Amino acid sequence: MTRKSSARADVAGPPNMHHVAELAGVSVATVSNVLNHPEKVADSTRGKVESAIDQLGFTLNQTARALRSGDAHSIGLVVIDLTNSLFVDVARGAQGRAQSNAFSLQLASANNDLGMQDDHLQFFDSARASGIILAPMQESDDQIRRVRRHGRPVVVVNFDSRLTDSCRVLIDNERAGYIAAKHLIDQGRTRIAFVAARDDYQPVHDRRMGARAAVEEAGGTVELVELTTTDLDPTGGADAGERLAAMPAGTRPDAVLAVTDLLAMAIINELTNSGVSVPEDVAVMGCDHNSAAWGGAIPLTSVAMQGEEMGRAAVDLLLAELRDGPGEHVHRRVLLQPHLVVRESTVGRERVAVP
């Protein structure tokens, strides 16, 4: 009686390579070669092994395989906040590019918590992800250095890290602030409120610099009123909106540039509830094209941030570093350009261009 005829097709527990070898009448090493180096195995033998695999319903334990080889063939993506659709777009772009290159993408959100961000980085590091894409809002150089010391490449997205040994993919946030303020100036607005919080967040700081540059370029004909609120969420916008609505009409800004769309949406609600017409009395716009803020009665003008392209570019840079190997890869800084999306909150219904 041969080993194959005595083998049972129905095994206790999940079938493994030993079961496949027994049923096919070959060694475990031969099964491994069929799975990993089929060109080394004769056609007749490979056929017996593949038949046994089909009969048993065997599937390779990819996690165990990754731990043995030291490469999970996966990419970890850590974003600061999934409530902002920019990071959802980054994830969508990264996932598509990863899958087209036979990599899986694992996503984690830090919920605006730097400690949680570090926990996620440590998890992907210990799980031996092939590499990590990090989309922070604050300086995270120490966390990045630790992961890179373990041989794990890291690509930083939406933050211009000072590190020179990591690739970066950025949107030009200073340009975003500039074109937003320039749009309001081009509409004839002369007193612009820049509403923001958390200037320690690099994108917030850079958008403020861009808005200041546009106003300075106007040569003294436009005033920028910088209004600090409690946070970047709708609660912060409601706070700013209440203060703006309470101002006398003669001194109230005639335009609002909110550093995030969530702020802008809440400001519009407070102004309109107080009888201030948007955009006739006050034009209002956001600056990050967050789809979570698109449901208001007055469609919001904003600045598109190229999230999907950021995600795709980050995966491309990460895979290039994996291919090149340590010491050979040339780190790159990719800067993408934002563009204006004009809606009714700044120009009125009759002036919005119909596609």
Side-chain angles (χ1 to χ4, degrees):
M1 182 179 291
T2 66
R3 292 170 61 193
K4 180 176 179 181
S5 63
S6 65
R8 292 184 298 108
D10 104 291
V11 298
N16 57 41
M17 288 174 62
H18 292 277
H19 297 131
V20 173
E22 184 179 3
L23 184 58
V26 299
S27 68
V28 172
T30 298
V31 175
S32 178
N33 275 335
V34 170
L35 293 170
N36 299 293
H37 306 286
E39 71 282 358
K40 296 181 178 180
V41 185
D43 289 347
S44 58
T45 302
R46 187 168 67 247
K48 289 191 295 183
V49 172
E50 290 172 348
S51 176
I53 287 172
D54 289 341
Q55 188 174 344
L56 290 168
F58 168 76
T59 56
L60 189 64
N61 186 332
Q62 296 289 355
T63 301
R65 184 184 190 187
L67 291 173
R68 286 194 299 271
S69 67
D71 180 10
H73 216 61
S74 66
I75 296 170
L77 170 59
V78 181
V79 302
I80 192 64
D81 180 18
L82 273 178
T83 63
N84 188 321
S85 66
L86 168 64
F87 300 114
V88 176
D89 289 344
V90 168
R92 185 180 295 113
Q95 183 177 48
R97 187 69 100 225
Q99 287 180 336
S100 67
N101 285 276
F103 277 73
S104 64
L105 185 81
Q106 309 297 322
L107 175 64
S109 174
N111 295 331
N112 293 302
D113 185 313
L114 202 57
M116 186 180 294
Q117 173 181 289
D118 195 34
D119 290 343
H120 290 320
L121 287 171
Q122 290 188 57
F123 171 79
F124 286 132
D125 188 16
S126 64
R128 302 188 185 184
S130 302
I132 299 172
I133 299 170
L134 174 64
M137 290 287 276
Q138 297 169 279
E139 185 272 311
S140 306
D141 292 355
D142 289 343
Q143 297 177 6
I144 296 168
R145 286 192 190 97
R146 187 191 63 248
V147 173
R148 290 195 63 87
R149 278 198 303 269
H150 297 164
R152 207 81 53 211
V154 179
V155 174
V156 182
V157 171
N158 197 49
F159 188 91
D160 201 1
S161 169
R162 295 169 297 182
L163 296 178
T164 58
D165 61 349
S166 286
C167 290
R168 289 156 287 170
V169 185
L170 311 167
I171 193 75
D172 190 340
N173 274 295
E174 188 166 338
R175 176 69 180 170
Y178 173 87
I179 63 176
K182 184 70 164 55
H183 168 68
L184 294 172
I185 293 168
D186 289 345
Q187 303 312 305
R189 309 293 172 157
T190 58
R191 185 171 164 81
I192 302 171
F194 182 86
V195 180
R198 297 303 303 261
D199 208 57
D200 56 317
Y201 283 5
Q202 189 180 86
V204 173
H205 174 270
D206 289 354
R207 291 170 198 171
R208 185 190 301 274
M209 294 301 100
R212 287 176 178 174
V215 169
E216 183 176 350
E217 189 181 87
T221 62
V222 178
E223 179 184 3
L224 189 68
V225 179
E226 301 194 28
L227 185 63
T228 300
T229 190
T230 54
D231 211 333
L232 298 172
D233 58 13
T235 302
D239 166 66
E242 289 176 2
R243 283 187 276 160
L244 288 164
M247 294 178 182
T251 60
R252 181 189 301 126
D254 59 2
V256 173
L257 169 51
V259 77
T260 69
D261 286 13
L262 289 177
L263 284 174
M265 175 187 68
I267 289 169
I268 289 175
N269 289 341
E270 292 298 328
L271 290 176
T272 56
N273 288 342
S274 299
V276 179
S277 180
V278 176
E280 290 77 13
D281 298 329
V282 181
V284 181
M285 70 176 295
C287 203
D288 62 357
H289 209 234
N290 186 350
S291 62
W294 293 357
I298 303 174
L300 185 65
T301 295
S302 190
V303 181
M305 305 302 279
Q306 307 281 53
E308 290 195 32
E309 181 57 31
M310 274 198 279
R312 288 191 288 266
V315 171
D316 288 343
L317 291 172
L318 188 62
L319 296 182
E321 184 169 356
L322 289 170
R323 286 192 300 267
D324 295 343
E328 299 296 326
H329 183 68
V330 177
H331 295 294
R332 295 176 55 205
R333 179 181 182 271
V334 176
L335 185 65
L336 303 175
Q337 292 301 315
H339 64 270
L340 191 69
V341 180
V342 178
R343 298 193 180 98
E344 295 169 22
S345 69
T346 57
V347 299
R349 188 182 304 274
E350 68 284 352
R351 292 179 55 200
V352 174
V354 177

